[in-house]
Amino acid sequence: MADVGTVAFVLGGGGVLGAVEVGMLRALFRAGIRPDLVVGLSIGAINAAMVAADPAPEVIDRLVRLWATPEISEVYGDSVPRQIRRLATRTHLHSPAPLQRLLERTIRAETTFADLPVPLHLCAANIERADAHWFDRGRVVPAVLAAAALPGVLPPVEIDGEHFLDGGLVSYPITEAIRLGADEVFMLQVGRLERPLEPPQRPWEATGVSMEIARRVRFARELAAVPDRVRVHVLPGGAGADESPWAYRDAAAIGRRVGEAYAASRDYLAATGR
């Protein structure tokens, strides 16, 4: 195949549904597709950092183990009633400490963006400036924690006197990948955008539905603005990607999600000649 230019992997959000991205990554690596650039936000920041640190097929086994660790369940898995009780006394459901320990064990606390073999760019929402902030220098772990700080689930992350929340609040990173020089973008999209949304029936569903509406609007706008020279692939996640806003709690279904996403993305890549 002719040279396609700069290849970017773009990884979005979705809680434990982020395990779907592992299946997509497996399909990409098995098809011989490697990133020249990795862009991520929300839960995708975790997967993105892992890939940028180890852009080889072996990273998939490490990601599968990561998603099966007790730390992930500790952050993203708990009963709804217990979570609701926590919201009555604080602004977030979980401590970031388990996730931080996990990241420091897998990426290492001292790792900087400059140490990574593939350029990594992570987006977080800056609270004080009410704007998107892109991390591409300094230590990687704090940036991942900032980019993945889902409101209500994890607390804001303070870096250099400013506070950051989940990057999915302010950006859909296709445009950033193109600005950085991508000629071909593989979008690891959690959830099928064509699936109709339904009005929330419970208070805790309102935030998830609201964020999904905003995400879809940004995604549609960014796709519409893609220049003709850039090829964008929106990888399918399989049936396992279609779940409720609270599905991030279900860590037990990780293996199924990875397998379904792999099969769907494998078939997509074969059909497109990649």
Side-chain angles (χ1 to χ4, degrees), residues 32-55:
I33 302 169
R34 304 289 187 273
D36 302 303
L37 166 70
V38 183
V39 181
L41 51 72
S42 193
I43 203 69
I46 298 173
N47 295 329
M50 292 281 287
V51 170
D54 183 16

Side-chain angles (χ1 to χ4, degrees), residues 56-93:
E58 292 74 20
V59 75
I60 301 303
D61 291 335
R62 295 179 62 205
L63 280 166
V64 170
R65 290 195 298 271
L66 179 146
W67 281 97
T69 58
E71 286 92 342
I72 286 291
S73 296
E74 215 175 318
V75 174
Y76 294 105
D78 206 344
S79 70
V80 171
R82 187 176 302 160
Q83 295 195 35
I84 297 302
R85 286 196 297 271
R86 287 175 178 168
L87 278 180
T89 58
R90 62 189 190 188
T91 62
H92 56 279
L93 300 173

